[in-house]
Amino acid sequence: MGTSVDAPAVVAEEVTDNMLGGKKVTVVFVLGGPGSGKGTQCTNIVEHFGFTHLSAGDLLRAEIKSGSENGTMIETMIKEGKIVPSEVTIKLLQEAMIKSENDKFLIDGFPRNEENRSAFENVTKISPAFVLFFDCTEEEMEKRLLGRNQGRVDDNIETIRKRFKVFVESSLPVIEYYSSKDKVKKIDAAKPIPEVFEDVTAIFAPYAPKV
Ligand SMILES: *[C@@H]1O[C@H](CO)[C@@H](O)[C@H](O)[C@H]1NC(C)=O
Ligand SMILES: *[C@@H]1O[C@H](CO)[C@@H](O)[C@H](O)[C@H]1NC(C)=O
Ligand SMILES: *[C@@H]1O[C@H](CO)[C@@H](O)[C@H](O)[C@H]1NC(C)=O
């Protein structure tokens, strides 16, 4: 997996045969471990490159809060400790993309694993333009998380290591899958935030809104 922060040669993924009623979209998956700084950079990308940020967790919470029939169903499942089927969450992502006036989406923290990826592609028939991967060593992430959460008991070293392990085990197969299709743009996320943003800018420049 080579570091590739070069601007992509091809800009928009031509997707006509998707499940968004033919709406053409550019989808970027954003992956990175806890403390990799991907949240900060997502905010930057939304602000500077006109993407709409989507998070599966936020959409689930919004659906529950809306009190819709589906929302109530989701709430009940979570309360009963059942796993919300991937299809449900993916349908929410799909709906959000159809409803949005935008056609450029950052899907944050998704797909978490190979099952998520395959379900997304099966349901939406969309493949991402690329995957933005915030690569950071475990030592660096630990340092950041411990610094950020001083005094918080739930973020002790054990919890952090466990989250990191889960991230690596479930997400690496997804990264490898897209790497084999030459779709991973890896960023050295251990660098200071402004430098990381420079790399992000190089990648997203072709997507900047035309003035
Ligand atoms: C992703 O996978 C996890 C673990 O299997 C599952 O709980 C979750 O519902 C899936 N999410 C989506 C959006 O597919
Ligand atoms: C509820 O979810 C199903 C499948 O996930 C979807 O087809 C349907 O449109 C949803 N209903 C509403 C009111 O959003
Ligand atoms: C997606 O479709 C493929 C091919 O039909 C199938 O093998 C795979 O199990 C499906 N994935 C999910 C998560 O349903």
Side-chain angles (χ1 to χ4, degrees):
M1 228 190 298
T3 303
S4 66
V5 289
D6 298 330
V10 182
V11 172
E13 179 95 343
E14 293 290 307
V15 201
T16 40
D17 208 15
N18 62 30
M19 299 302 281
L20 302 181
K23 178 176 178 180
K24 281 187 195 173
V25 291
T26 302
V27 167
V28 174
F29 289 149
V30 185
L31 295 178
S36 64
K38 79 181 165 61
T40 305
Q41 298 302 336
C42 278
T43 307
N44 280 335
I45 297 163
V46 166
E47 195 175 309
H48 295 270
F49 301 101
F51 276 69
T52 292
H53 177 261
L54 296 176
S55 127
D58 287 352
L59 288 169
L60 277 176
R61 283 185 286 276
E63 187 71 20
I64 292 172
K65 217 174 150 204
S66 80
S68 73
E69 210 175 301
N70 280 349
T72 310
M73 183 197 75
I74 295 167
E75 190 172 26
T76 309
M77 291 183 89
I78 293 174
K79 268 194 195 135
E80 289 173 357
K82 290 186 190 143
I83 289 173
V84 179
S86 287
E87 278 68 22
V88 172
T89 317
I90 290 163
K91 283 258 164 67
L92 291 175
L93 286 167
Q94 189 181 22
E95 283 287 306
M97 287 190 277
I98 294 171
K99 279 189 196 146
S100 172
E101 280 172 17
N102 202 350
D103 59 1
K104 299 184 288 188
F105 301 96
L106 277 187
I107 306 190
D108 186 3
F110 180 90
R112 278 186 201 289
N113 51 45
E114 268 291 287
E115 187 272 336
N116 282 180
R117 178 196 66 72
S118 142
F120 181 86
E121 292 195 352
N122 288 359
V123 171
T124 65
K125 311 284 183 224
I126 293 170
S127 57
F130 59 90
V131 176
L132 187 64
F133 174 40
F134 288 92
D135 193 25
C136 197
T137 62
E138 178 164 10
E139 291 72 33
E140 180 63 27
M141 291 201 226
E142 248 175 44
K143 211 168 75 191
R144 291 181 186 174
L145 290 169
L146 288 172
R148 188 199 289 175
N149 294 301
Q150 253 156 18
R152 245 179 74 179
V153 276
D154 57 337
D155 252 343
N156 59 33
I157 207 108
E158 246 87 300
T159 341
I160 291 172
R161 286 191 180 149
K162 210 170 136 204
R163 281 167 69 197
F164 187 80
K165 189 159 173 275
V166 168
F167 169 75
V168 169
E169 283 173 359
S170 54
S171 298
L172 278 196
V174 176
I175 308 269
E176 275 160 18
Y177 173 87
Y178 285 118
S179 257
S180 76
K181 302 196 171 300
D182 218 11
K183 281 194 172 188
V184 175
K185 303 209 175 281
K186 188 161 83 162
I187 284 192
D188 177 4
K191 294 197 284 193
I193 292 175
E195 286 175 37
V196 173
F197 185 54
E198 274 175 30
D199 292 346
V200 165
T201 299
I203 291 172
F204 281 86
Y207 298 91
K210 314 252 178 313
V211 220

